[in-house]
Amino acid sequence: MNSEPATQPAALYSLRRVLMNLYVAMTGAYGLSVSGFLLLRALVGESSKIVTLFNNYIHLLLIPAIVLLPLSLLLRRPRLALTQAAPAAVFLATYGLMFWPRVPQIAPDKTRISLLSYNLNKNNASADAVIAIIRDANADVVALQELNPVLAAAFDTELADVYPYRAFHPDESYPGQGIMSRYPIHDDSYWKINLGHQRAQIDVNGSTITLYNTHPVHPFIREHGFFDPALRTAEIEDVLARAAHDSTPILIAGDFNMTDQTGDYQRIAAQFGDSYREVGWGLGFSFPDLGQQILLARIDYVFHSRDFQAVEARVWPTSGGSDHRPLFVTLAYGAGL
């Protein structure tokens, strides 16, 4: 009768030991494997397709270390904490400043322009929800990807009062693109590679801005062995080659189907500023919006030439029926930049 209380502490102790051993094994395996991947990435870069695959989502692999490193120290497991040092350090070096408040200094004589980049989802028929977001954002220019004929017709009817200038190239599938603007649009052109791309020049009070509304294809292509970023790279290089011939200030907006650790991102960032990275707060995840408030990646961007200075960048809190949340940015430009 008296043996039951005595067995309870022993059972509890055994359970704690099992749980601690499990934590040590799983945390150590995670830390060593991610650290090994980071070393491999440093040695071979994206010359290896497997490195390129994991590099697309390395941000998700790094995040656990931010929790596991201090937790291991609290549990008095310094050697275990050491296995988390490399992924935690890379995360902080890469994203730490994005959690630090930044207030850009903008000269009062600069002209400001706001832009909303919005992948609508080709199957989206929620015109009222989409129009509500666009009206609420009240951007000067709206760059639309996966624009279908139903939404294009709704915008022509419902948003003409806000955006008298529109250049639409709707499609029943993914290549549909469109631009809406408060300012005159001229020299609009549209082309397809794998998905749709658009270039337009916008006259902002006598100054011309060139906007590329782009949508490179995602790398998960079954016909090319499930994962192959080469097609995405080719589309990005095509846009960069076209932009090299422009002498005006340039904005490149859209759904790029890439994260900020990829080689394709580096190709663009070497020439253009990433508006969200410069002034946005947090990781800026915009995809996929599945209605559960769980987003996994930042693949929607607004890049800008050195003529611009990023003032504000934020991901919209709702998606209007799309699997992407829109990205809203404000930029300043003018003499002195």
PDB file of all heavy atoms in Angstrom, residues 15 19 30 177 181 195 241:
ATOM      1  N   LEU A  15      11.072   9.538 -16.659  1.00  0.00           N
ATOM      2  CA  LEU A  15      10.449  10.257 -17.768  1.00  0.00           C
ATOM      3  C   LEU A  15      11.252  11.505 -18.120  1.00  0.00           C
ATOM      4  O   LEU A  15      11.466  11.803 -19.308  1.00  0.00           O
ATOM      5  CB  LEU A  15       9.015  10.635 -17.403  1.00  0.00           C
ATOM      6  CG  LEU A  15       8.250  11.452 -18.455  1.00  0.00           C
ATOM      7  CD1 LEU A  15       8.142  10.665 -19.757  1.00  0.00           C
ATOM      8  CD2 LEU A  15       6.875  11.850 -17.939  1.00  0.00           C
ATOM      9  N   LEU A  19      13.006  12.327 -21.742  1.00  0.00           N
ATOM     10  CA  LEU A  19      12.714  13.549 -22.482  1.00  0.00           C
ATOM     11  C   LEU A  19      13.970  14.376 -22.722  1.00  0.00           C
ATOM     12  O   LEU A  19      14.159  14.947 -23.803  1.00  0.00           O
ATOM     13  CB  LEU A  19      11.671  14.381 -21.732  1.00  0.00           C
ATOM     14  CG  LEU A  19      10.260  13.786 -21.671  1.00  0.00           C
ATOM     15  CD1 LEU A  19       9.343  14.671 -20.817  1.00  0.00           C
ATOM     16  CD2 LEU A  19       9.687  13.608 -23.067  1.00  0.00           C
ATOM     17  N   TYR A  30      20.005  18.321 -35.211  1.00  0.00           N
ATOM     18  CA  TYR A  30      19.609  19.505 -35.975  1.00  0.00           C
ATOM     19  C   TYR A  30      20.782  20.472 -36.121  1.00  0.00           C
ATOM     20  O   TYR A  30      21.109  20.916 -37.239  1.00  0.00           O
ATOM     21  CB  TYR A  30      18.438  20.220 -35.292  1.00  0.00           C
ATOM     22  CG  TYR A  30      18.337  21.678 -35.655  1.00  0.00           C
ATOM     23  CD1 TYR A  30      17.810  22.088 -36.878  1.00  0.00           C
ATOM     24  CD2 TYR A  30      18.807  22.662 -34.776  1.00  0.00           C
ATOM     25  CE1 TYR A  30      17.740  23.436 -37.224  1.00  0.00           C
ATOM     26  CE2 TYR A  30      18.741  24.009 -35.114  1.00  0.00           C
ATOM     27  CZ  TYR A  30      18.213  24.387 -36.339  1.00  0.00           C
ATOM     28  OH  TYR A  30      18.163  25.716 -36.680  1.00  0.00           O
ATOM     29  N   GLN A 177      -0.648  39.626 -66.452  1.00  0.00           N
ATOM     30  CA  GLN A 177       0.025  40.740 -65.795  1.00  0.00           C
ATOM     31  C   GLN A 177      -0.787  42.020 -66.004  1.00  0.00           C
ATOM     32  O   GLN A 177      -1.538  42.141 -66.981  1.00  0.00           O
ATOM     33  CB  GLN A 177       1.428  40.958 -66.371  1.00  0.00           C
ATOM     34  CG  GLN A 177       2.390  39.787 -66.227  1.00  0.00           C
ATOM     35  CD  GLN A 177       2.916  39.592 -64.838  1.00  0.00           C
ATOM     36  OE1 GLN A 177       2.421  38.738 -64.103  1.00  0.00           O
ATOM     37  NE2 GLN A 177       3.895  40.382 -64.441  1.00  0.00           N
ATOM     38  N   SER A 181      -2.329  52.813 -62.536  1.00  0.00           N
ATOM     39  CA  SER A 181      -1.554  53.968 -62.096  1.00  0.00           C
ATOM     40  C   SER A 181      -2.409  55.224 -62.054  1.00  0.00           C
ATOM     41  O   SER A 181      -3.342  55.399 -62.848  1.00  0.00           O
ATOM     42  CB  SER A 181      -0.370  54.185 -63.044  1.00  0.00           C
ATOM     43  OG  SER A 181       0.324  55.373 -62.740  1.00  0.00           O
ATOM     44  N   LEU A 195       6.444  32.431 -67.709  1.00  0.00           N
ATOM     45  CA  LEU A 195       5.294  33.187 -67.230  1.00  0.00           C
ATOM     46  C   LEU A 195       5.340  34.573 -67.866  1.00  0.00           C
ATOM     47  O   LEU A 195       6.160  34.848 -68.726  1.00  0.00           O
ATOM     48  CB  LEU A 195       5.315  33.261 -65.702  1.00  0.00           C
ATOM     49  CG  LEU A 195       5.271  31.910 -64.973  1.00  0.00           C
ATOM     50  CD1 LEU A 195       5.247  32.110 -63.471  1.00  0.00           C
ATOM     51  CD2 LEU A 195       4.091  31.062 -65.420  1.00  0.00           C
ATOM     52  N   ALA A 241      18.759  42.160 -68.271  1.00  0.00           N
ATOM     53  CA  ALA A 241      19.352  42.590 -69.547  1.00  0.00           C
ATOM     54  C   ALA A 241      18.538  43.722 -70.161  1.00  0.00           C
ATOM     55  O   ALA A 241      19.101  44.681 -70.719  1.00  0.00           O
ATOM     56  CB  ALA A 241      19.439  41.402 -70.503  1.00  0.00           C
TER      57      ALA A 241
END
